Amino acid sequence: MQISEAIQYDSDSYDVIVVGAGHAGCEAALAAARMGNKTLLVTISLEMVAFMPCNPSLGGPAKGVVVREIDALGGEMGHNIDKTYIQMRMLNTSKGPAVRALRAQADKHAYHRQMKWTLEKQANLTLRQATVDDLIVEDGVCHGVITNTGARYRAKTVVLTVGTAARGKIIIGELQYESGPNNSKSATKLSECLERLGFDLERFKTGTPPRINGNTINYDETEEQPGDETPHHFSFDTPDSKYLSVSDQISCWLTYTNPHTHDIIRQNLDRAPMFSGVIKGVGPRYCPSIEDKIVRFADKDRHQLFLEPEGRDTDEYYVDGLSTSMPEEIQQRMLHSVKGLEKASLMRPGYAIEYDVVSPYQLRPTLETKRIKNLYTAGQTNGTSGYEEAAGQGLIAGINAGLRALGKKPFVLQRSEAYIGVMIDDLVTKGTKEPYRLLTSRAEYRLLLRHDNADFRLMGKGHEIGLVSDERYQKMLAKKAAVKAEVARLESLRLKPGSPADDFIQQHGDHPLKDAVTAATLLKRPYFDYQTLLKFIPAPEKPLDRQVAEQVEITLKYEGYIKKEEVRVNRLKRMEAKKIPEDIDYSAIEGLATEGRQKLDKIRPETLAQASRISGVNPADLAILSVYIQQGKIAKRSDRK
Amino acid sequence: MNSEDDTITAISTPVGEGGISIIRVSGDEAIPIVKKLFVGKDLAKVASHTINYGHIVDPKTHEEVDEVMVSVMRAPKTYTREDVCEINCHGGLLATNRILQLTIAAGARMAEPGEFTKRAFLNGRLDLSQAEAVMDLIRAKTDKSMKVALGQLDGDLSRLIRKLRQEILNVLAQVEVNIDYPEYDGAETMTSKMMHDHAVTIQKKIEKLLATAREGKILRDGLATAIIGRPNVGKSSLLNSLLHEDKAIVTNVAGTTRDVIEEYVNVKGVPLKLIDTAGIRHTEDKVEKIGVERSKKAIEQADLILLLIDSSQKLTDEDRELIKQTSASPRIIIYNKADLPAQVDVKELQSLVGDSRIIKTSMTEHQGVDQLSQAIAKLFFNEGVESSQNTVMVTNARHIGLLRQADSALDDVLKGLADGMPVDLVQIDMRRAWDLLGQITGDSYQDELLDQLFSQFCLGK
């Protein structure tokens, strides 16, 4: 016990308590409260609610799909960014539908304020500033939290989303100090509590670049990157009419480092904490610091820098690509060596931050810890990086904490259902050696996990959980029906040889039609899209929504590939259905290889499919395991007789 | 990943024994897979538990492989309680293996030892008392077979496969970096044209490797060879002559059948497995014993037939019958006793044997044996085996099956590109090729891709 007994007092009881109000915590608390649980959200600082201490940006490849998934399940991130973005861009438009990605630049202060306000207005939800120092744990079950002010809050379930505050340490050159993100308070005692409870903690590192004053940028020397004209939003509910015109959006600017910048860094590597041994935490490969880039890719003579505005009512700019923990003096010299930034005025130096992570093999796919019942963790605490990854986990942890409090069955997304499912399965099955970021290549079924079909994939589930209203659900079903009807119509409409469509085909150098073909078949040809097709066939009774037309086009154009993926998914589903008994004793199964046995016992997979993804578990182990399970089932059946 | 839901295939009769071999295919896809290879009745429509006559045809080359009977048994009343197809074929080693490979190329996976029995158990067909036996079976065989399978991989082959995989990986990483880091300027954009060129190059290498498959198979298992002819045509002399010609007899293996002795002889680098040499020795002197029945069996098992004709006598009905019986097999006609005055109607003989090569020999004068050896080598290796001894060969049916699947995945890549599909979709098939090759070398981890991504490109957005 760390808090003096004398000041402790019994405060209120809740169904669900969420510790930390970053992107994970906000989703967790909102989900639990919206499901009807009396919920407490505790944060070290109310000024840090849904704060973006790194990029003022959301979405992009894989991450953008997660935002859509959160929205479809009834989470808040999509709504919040749609209300506070200052630029919207669809990336990968020249590529296939599976990899198109929406990204927004956020007004980071508006984003924070909007989320805080949403929390304040939410029924069943109490938002309170306090530091959680200890957990109330009895017989391996978590019953609540104790704050630094001595308040004992009891709850049915607790979700920890501590983020980089967990024993956080900021490093700038030779300077080191205890701190959470952006000089907020760090949380030390909670880490100690987790260690006492027997959790295996690891040390990770991440970092951010310096911020500069936009009035001191010479924009003439940089390249403008404006937003899109075509409307796109993250949330299913935001109408196109709300879209900001390009002139109301704020541009980003592109510039580059140069050999001179690299020389400055090289000459001062002895002062770089990354290389001097000061930083011990493991950093992410996909988001390296500039000093790391220059050492590892010595032959590159320039690196891109994106200057990103941090909001509407500020001139502070984020220098994306220049993440660093070099001393402040060197940071200034680096900045001034860059074209357009010769006179840039530094507002905040970049820094590296080290923090504690709960090694995620200690978690179930519901994000409940295996060690302590009714305790859940989410976000950076589980070893991920990124606001979207955090929010996705927060939502799942919040849903499951809420379901447990309500006495209902848990909720798990499969790899074939959502990027969120891919991420959580990766974390709990394979663990992670560096801050984990979602990439499209991590998803083996990415053609099925598109941002444009997140509503079809997940809104039904959100509705079942109680996070999606009947009205919203019906709207989705109506959209689905409209897609189905138009697909059926195109499959029945036939175009004959000699028709204008045939002329169009020949203009594109294709062979003339021999027999009549359906409109659906024509849509598969590369030079046809839905709008082109409409020139040759009767228009539908009423014009289709943009989103419906898009679905029709994707469904038909990529049908062959989609079917192929669905076959693979069905096979996976059958293996996911093969559950491993929770109390299985791996030491009692003869014939397992030693490595396989150890890994199985450490991860304790819930299904045979999950077991098959553990590295070190070989096919022979799986075969023996499946026979062993079947044996147990038969034995049970004959017991009952 | 080996899954319990895969459709599996294996030769379920002892190899090299008996006149008939059975290839058993079990799983959801069993009937569709065999259907792809079968010319005859539509197997999808035939009644369950029927046996159907037809031919196995290579769907890629349209070449007929064997005349077969296919049993179709639908779940649940089957050994595994899954859909099962059994292909009964003529049993020659080459034909049986070829059919096995075709089932793998069509989508089945090579069964692990004991896997049919394991499935029977998992699907509730065997009872608990049998479970232990199943476990023992898996324990004893799976680890061993995995080791054997990986051990079989000779260094050159695995180096070659790893190189191929690395080539594919470079393509994959470039596509992925374009997708995940669309604004990153350090990676060239992978265009359809580039993807096409890479796919073609890689496919050529795979096909070159596959072309060695048949040779490799022969080198490993020997070419089942039958010496056929009516009594007193000189079979025994030919046998002795071949054995004499090459002192390096590989081995004498006692077969399981009482009197079958297999003798191996190396002819210009082609290991011949001579069938029923004992039979030849026993019957040759006894004029009354007719070899036809015995020959029939030997013909069924053989991959190569050496048919002897006594040129010093007129063709008999027996000769004509043997010529007819062997017409479907690779064969060489040996025009023996060429030292004696010819009595055979050469024109008739030529019209009867068609395209088959005729070699004139005299066993007593020791003539023509060298030409015969060359003809054998030429028949099986286009340029003789010596010239290809330094190249990497694929000999394992599982490896061949996987290579063929990888080959067809690359076909899909090219087809997708031709249909104007975007590179990131075509990537699905490219990645499948990579995974399949990885199953040969035993490394198929997604982490490799991420490692490649982050070591090749300096990513930071």
Side-chain angles (χ1 to χ4, degrees):
Chain A
M1 197 53 50
Q2 316 191 331
I3 306 128
S4 145
E5 298 271 354
I7 69 157
Q8 285 192 26
Y9 70 101
D10 286 317
S11 186
D12 303 330
S13 287
Y14 292 88
D15 294 319
V16 179
I17 295 175
V18 179
V19 180
H23 303 281
C26 290
E27 294 294 347
L30 285 169
R34 286 167 178 171
M35 287 161 69
N37 293 292
K38 188 182 169 198
T39 305
L40 172 69
L41 176 56
V42 195
T43 172
I44 281 183
S45 161
L46 285 173
E47 270 54 67
M48 295 296 286
V49 169
F51 189 70
M52 299 180 163
C54 205
N55 287 43
S57 152
L58 268 189
K63 291 161 168 276
V65 187
V66 171
V67 181
R68 286 259 166 107
E69 289 176 350
I70 291 169
D71 181 67
L73 287 166
E76 193 57 29
M77 190 171 240
H79 287 134
N80 209 61
I81 185 64
D82 281 354
K83 288 175 190 158
T84 57
Y85 71 93
I86 53 179
Q87 187 199 94
M88 198 68 90
R89 277 184 81 186
M90 185 65 85
L91 306 172
N92 286 337
T93 47
S94 63
K95 302 190 179 87
V99 298
R100 277 170 217 153
L102 189 58
R103 190 182 63 203
Q105 297 300 136
D107 180 323
K108 72 159 63 171
H109 305 291
Y111 190 91
H112 146 76
R113 280 194 307 270
Q114 181 64 43
M115 187 64 89
K116 181 164 171 267
W117 196 20
T118 303
L119 295 168
E120 288 161 3
K121 285 187 292 189
Q122 178 62 47
N124 294 330
L125 182 64
T126 307
L127 179 61
R128 184 156 301 160
Q129 180 167 299
T131 304
V132 169
D133 279 352
D134 209 351
L135 298 173
I136 305 170
V137 175
E138 291 153 14
D139 297 329
V141 182
C142 185
H143 293 289
V145 304
I146 306 171
T147 67
N148 59 339
T149 52
R152 267 197 305 263
Y153 297 98
R154 291 188 81 87
K156 292 175 184 161
T157 54
V158 173
V159 183
L160 297 183
T161 65
V162 192
T164 54
R167 220 157 17 195
K169 186 168 87 177
I170 281 184
I171 302 155
I172 306 170
E174 292 80 4
L175 174 67
Q176 295 180 38
Y177 55 94
E178 264 190 25
S179 172
N182 199 33
N183 287 346
S184 60
K185 209 164 84 94
S186 74
T188 310
K189 289 184 174 166
L190 192 55
S191 282
E192 289 163 8
C193 161
L194 290 173
E195 277 172 342
R196 270 202 318 279
L197 291 170
F199 281 100
D200 181 7
L201 302 185
E202 278 177 80
R203 208 73 180 142
F204 275 9
K205 168 244 157 189
T206 187
T208 88
R211 318 297 152 93
I212 54 177
N213 187 328
N215 295 305
T216 60
I217 296 172
N218 180 3
Y219 293 100
D220 295 341
E221 296 289 335
T222 64
E223 240 170 82
E224 183 167 9
Q225 299 220 302
D228 284 351
E229 264 172 57
T230 320
H232 287 288
H233 290 105
F234 279 100
S235 176
F236 180 80
D237 308 308
T238 315
D240 283 356
S241 59
K242 292 246 175 156
Y243 191 69
L244 294 178
S245 67
V246 176
S247 58
D248 286 336
Q249 298 185 34
I250 303 179
S251 294
C252 295
W253 306 84
L254 173 62
T255 181
Y256 298 91
T257 62
N258 55 48
H260 182 46
T261 322
H262 301 185
D263 283 342
I264 295 170
I265 296 168
R266 264 187 221 110
Q267 283 156 16
N268 291 283
L269 279 181
D270 56 327
R271 297 186 66 192
M274 274 286 295
F275 299 103
S276 63
V278 170
I279 290 179
K280 293 182 184 70
V282 188
R285 282 179 299 179
Y286 47 80
C287 192
S289 61
I290 187 73
E291 49 268 33
D292 200 17
K293 288 184 200 176
I294 279 153
V295 170
R296 280 176 51 214
F297 295 90
D299 53 337
K300 275 205 87 178
D301 56 8
R302 68 172 201 181
H303 295 277
Q304 292 163 306
L305 300 178
F306 294 89
L307 309 177
E308 301 180 14
E310 295 227 317
R312 258 181 214 293
D313 47 8
T314 174
D315 282 320
E316 198 170 343
Y317 273 72
Y318 176 94
V319 187
D320 189 341
L322 206 69
S323 173
T324 182
S325 54
M326 294 293 262
E328 185 181 271
E329 174 205 353
I330 310 297
Q331 291 191 25
Q332 301 219 36
R333 285 176 56 200
M334 278 155 57
L335 281 170
H336 293 157
S337 72
V338 172
K339 248 190 176 178
L341 304 184
E342 293 85 350
K343 303 224 165 93
S345 160
L346 179 78
M347 292 182 70
R348 304 172 207 240
Y351 61 84
I353 184 163
E354 281 189 340
Y355 56 100
D356 286 343
V357 162
V358 173
S359 302
Y361 73 85
Q362 302 169 97
L363 305 175
R364 300 172 192 279
T366 56
L367 298 181
E368 184 182 15
T369 67
K370 294 173 190 165
R371 184 170 286 277
I372 306 291
K373 204 180 163 192
N374 295 344
L375 179 66
Y376 299 74
T377 61
Q380 269 172 310
T381 300
N382 292 350
T384 60
S385 121
Y387 313 137
E388 305 84 349
E389 285 89 342
Q393 290 171 70
L395 180 60
I396 299 299
I399 287 172
N400 278 304
L403 288 169
R404 171 68 57 78
L406 294 167
K408 291 186 181 171
K409 277 195 182 151
F411 174 70
V412 172
L413 287 170
Q414 305 296 336
R415 297 185 75 87
S416 54
E417 291 173 332
Y419 269 91
I420 297 175
V422 171
M423 166 176 64
I424 293 177
D425 181 66
D426 277 349
L427 288 172
V428 304
T429 308
K430 298 179 189 158
T432 180
K433 295 190 186 76
E434 64 184 331
Y436 176 100
R437 173 189 169 157
L438 264 175
L439 297 161
T440 66
S441 48
R442 295 196 197 264
E444 48 278 80
Y445 313 108
R446 72 177 170 210
L447 180 54
L448 303 181
L449 306 185
R450 305 188 308 269
H451 77 122
D452 59 83
N453 69 356
D455 47 358
F456 290 175
R457 284 188 277 130
L458 300 172
M459 214 177 268
K461 293 176 191 289
H463 182 245
E464 216 171 290
I465 294 165
L467 290 176
V468 170
S469 68
D470 291 343
E471 186 199 340
R472 191 177 195 229
Y473 180 55
Q474 289 305 327
K475 221 175 134 192
M476 183 277 291
L477 289 181
K479 178 181 166 190
K480 211 172 186 174
V483 173
K484 206 175 156 196
E486 183 65 358
V487 166
R489 191 178 80 99
L490 296 186
E491 279 171 342
S492 67
L493 279 174
R494 300 181 82 82
L495 293 138
K496 293 196 182 85
S499 65
D502 198 4
D503 296 341
F504 181 76
I505 288 166
Q506 291 171 52
Q507 279 163 29
H508 281 83
D510 234 345
H511 298 296
L513 292 178
K514 280 197 200 115
D515 304 298
V517 295
T518 65
T521 323
L522 278 192
L523 192 50
K524 293 193 198 318
R525 302 198 179 193
Y527 45 86
F528 269 102
D529 57 24
Y530 180 73
Q531 293 308 327
T532 315
L533 193 62
L534 281 188
K535 291 180 198 158
F536 305 106
I537 58 170
E541 272 177 41
K542 77 178 200 229
L544 301 188
D545 280 351
R546 176 175 61 80
Q547 286 93 340
V548 173
E550 184 187 20
Q551 282 312 300
V552 170
E553 191 173 309
I554 292 172
T555 308
L556 289 172
K557 228 177 176 36
Y558 306 109
E559 197 180 16
Y561 285 95
I562 292 173
K563 280 204 175 131
K564 251 195 237 179
E565 297 246 294
E566 280 170 350
V567 168
R568 288 170 56 216
V569 165
N570 285 335
R571 281 179 32 175
L572 176 80
K573 280 199 175 145
R574 285 160 54 172
M575 236 172 123
E576 297 285 4
K578 292 182 181 154
K579 303 272 180 235
I580 300 175
E582 198 166 335
D583 56 356
I584 193 164
D585 177 6
Y586 288 106
S587 64
I589 307 176
E590 274 178 60
L592 287 177
T594 312
E595 188 191 359
R597 188 196 307 278
Q598 285 168 351
K599 290 274 176 68
L600 285 166
D601 199 41
K602 181 176 173 189
I603 311 284
R604 303 201 68 82
E606 301 196 346
T607 65
L608 271 184
Q610 194 192 348
S612 74
R613 290 190 289 269
I614 300 173
S615 71
V617 174
N618 68 37
D621 296 331
L622 284 174
I624 288 168
L625 185 56
S626 70
V627 171
Y628 182 84
I629 294 167
Q630 174 70 12
Q631 207 176 359
K633 272 192 209 151
I634 297 174
K636 246 188 213 161
R637 225 176 290 146
S638 47
D639 280 357
R640 258 183 270 143
K641 280 179 205 159
Chain B
M1 182 181 76
N2 279 355
S3 151
E4 279 162 13
D5 296 321
D6 290 344
T7 294
I8 52 173
T9 182
I11 300 172
S12 63
T13 41
V15 177
E17 291 168 29
I20 299 280
S21 289
I22 299 175
I23 293 106
R24 183 188 277 164
V25 187
S26 175
D28 281 359
E29 294 293 309
I31 297 170
I33 284 171
V34 176
K35 190 185 148 170
K36 282 186 211 165
L37 317 172
F38 182 74
V39 176
K41 276 189 197 163
D42 183 351
L43 297 181
K45 290 185 183 145
V46 301
S48 185
H49 295 75
T50 55
I51 186 152
N52 305 276
Y53 171 80
H55 292 86
I56 294 293
V57 172
D58 185 334
K60 207 162 177 176
T61 61
H62 303 292
E63 184 192 342
E64 189 177 303
V65 179
D66 204 356
E67 184 184 32
V68 296
M69 304 288 284
V70 173
S71 321
V72 173
M73 292 162 278
R74 294 202 170 77
K77 283 189 181 168
T78 68
Y79 181 60
T80 54
R81 292 214 168 163
E82 301 171 330
D83 285 353
V84 171
C85 266
E86 288 184 350
I87 306 171
N88 296 256
C89 67
H90 277 135
L93 204 59
L94 279 183
T96 312
N97 266 312
R98 185 93 189 275
I99 295 172
L100 176 70
Q101 286 163 29
L102 288 175
T103 59
I104 296 173
R109 163 168 73 71
M110 186 86 171
E112 289 152 20
E115 199 170 4
F116 288 101
T117 310
K118 185 185 113 194
R119 287 189 176 197
F121 172 75
L122 288 179
N123 294 324
R125 191 166 178 283
L126 306 176
D127 65 25
L128 193 55
S129 64
Q130 286 161 290
E132 223 152 292
V134 180
M135 299 274 268
D136 286 343
L137 190 68
I138 297 167
R139 246 195 312 273
K141 288 190 169 176
T142 317
D143 269 342
K144 186 164 163 245
S145 80
M146 272 188 55
K147 267 181 213 138
V148 169
L150 292 177
Q152 268 175 358
L153 253 191
D154 84 292
D156 289 338
L157 178 62
S158 67
R159 255 195 301 283
L160 200 75
I161 301 274
R162 293 217 162 93
K163 237 173 98 187
L164 273 173
R165 287 190 86 227
Q166 187 59 42
E167 267 184 75
I168 301 179
L169 191 60
N170 290 341
V171 177
L172 294 178
Q174 202 176 331
V175 176
E176 296 299 339
V177 81
N178 293 159
I179 294 168
D180 273 319
Y181 294 87
E183 289 158 323
Y184 171 62
D185 67 350
E188 197 180 354
T189 303
M190 177 67 73
T191 60
S192 297
K193 171 84 176 63
M194 285 160 65
M195 183 90 152
H196 173 272
D197 293 350
H198 282 297
V200 168
T201 315
I202 295 162
Q203 194 175 33
K204 265 192 196 142
K205 290 182 184 168
I206 289 180
E207 282 173 358
K208 203 172 149 198
L209 209 50
L210 273 171
T212 69
R214 205 168 80 117
E215 297 177 20
K217 185 89 210 138
I218 293 169
L219 286 181
R220 202 191 59 180
D221 292 339
L223 188 67
T225 306
I227 300 176
I228 305 289
R230 64 191 167 83
N232 281 320
V233 290
K235 296 197 289 288
S236 191
S237 315
L238 173 62
L239 178 64
N240 289 333
S241 176
L242 285 173
L243 294 177
H244 185 73
E245 183 80 358
D246 187 301
K247 299 259 176 6
I249 296 172
V250 183
T251 173
N252 278 358
V253 185
T256 46
T257 326
R258 276 167 293 109
D259 58 350
V260 173
I261 306 279
E262 288 176 348
E263 285 184 75
Y264 285 83
V265 52
N266 192 340
V267 174
K268 302 262 175 219
V270 184
L272 302 189
K273 187 173 83 181
L274 299 169
I275 299 172
D276 195 17
T277 51
I280 294 170
R281 288 189 179 112
H282 287 154
T283 56
E284 187 72 5
D285 312 320
K286 295 173 191 164
V287 182
E288 81 278 26
K289 185 98 175 159
I290 296 178
V292 170
E293 224 158 274
R294 221 172 163 130
S295 307
K296 222 175 178 175
K297 204 175 154 199
I299 290 168
E300 278 170 4
Q301 291 177 25
D303 299 315
L304 169 66
I305 286 156
L306 303 178
L307 174 58
L308 281 93
I309 302 288
D310 183 347
S311 68
S312 67
Q313 294 182 21
K314 287 204 158 62
L315 283 179
T316 66
D317 286 346
E318 209 181 316
D319 287 325
R320 293 190 185 92
E321 178 61 28
L322 286 172
I323 291 173
K324 209 173 128 194
Q325 275 184 26
T326 55
S327 62
S329 317
R331 65 177 174 184
I332 294 173
I333 311 295
I334 298 162
Y335 185 88
N336 196 26
K337 305 194 184 175
D339 52 319
L340 300 176
Q343 293 289 319
V344 162
D345 181 343
V346 179
K347 272 192 184 155
E348 189 200 351
L349 181 66
Q350 270 171 347
S351 76
L352 282 175
V353 304
D355 293 340
S356 299
R357 178 97 191 257
I358 302 175
I359 307 257
K360 281 189 184 180
T361 61
S362 164
M363 294 303 153
T364 47
E365 305 271 309
H366 209 79
Q367 281 172 6
V369 178
D370 197 44
Q371 283 98 309
L372 174 63
S373 304
Q374 275 169 10
I376 293 170
K378 205 169 168 190
L379 194 57
F380 281 88
F381 306 118
N382 294 336
E383 290 161 22
V385 69
E386 267 86 0
S387 66
S388 57
Q389 245 161 13
N390 293 327
T391 61
V392 177
M393 290 206 184
V394 200
T395 58
N396 177 301
R398 182 178 149 265
H399 298 164
I400 296 167
L402 287 166
L403 279 167
R404 293 184 70 154
Q405 277 180 270
D407 187 34
S408 97
L410 288 165
D411 278 343
D412 291 347
V413 169
L414 295 172
K415 186 177 174 300
L417 290 169
D419 289 346
M421 289 295 159
V423 164
D424 52 280
L425 280 192
V426 176
Q427 171 98 335
I428 293 173
D429 291 313
M430 194 64 140
R431 182 167 164 173
R432 193 154 56 89
W434 183 57
D435 278 334
L436 287 162
L437 294 180
Q439 286 176 34
I440 295 179
T441 50
D443 26 36
S444 220
Y445 295 111
Q446 191 205 1
D447 294 342
E448 285 177 49
L449 178 64
L450 297 182
D451 288 342
Q452 176 75 19
L453 208 60
F454 295 122
S455 60
Q456 187 176 343
F457 304 108
C458 175
L459 302 166
K461 170 98 179 162

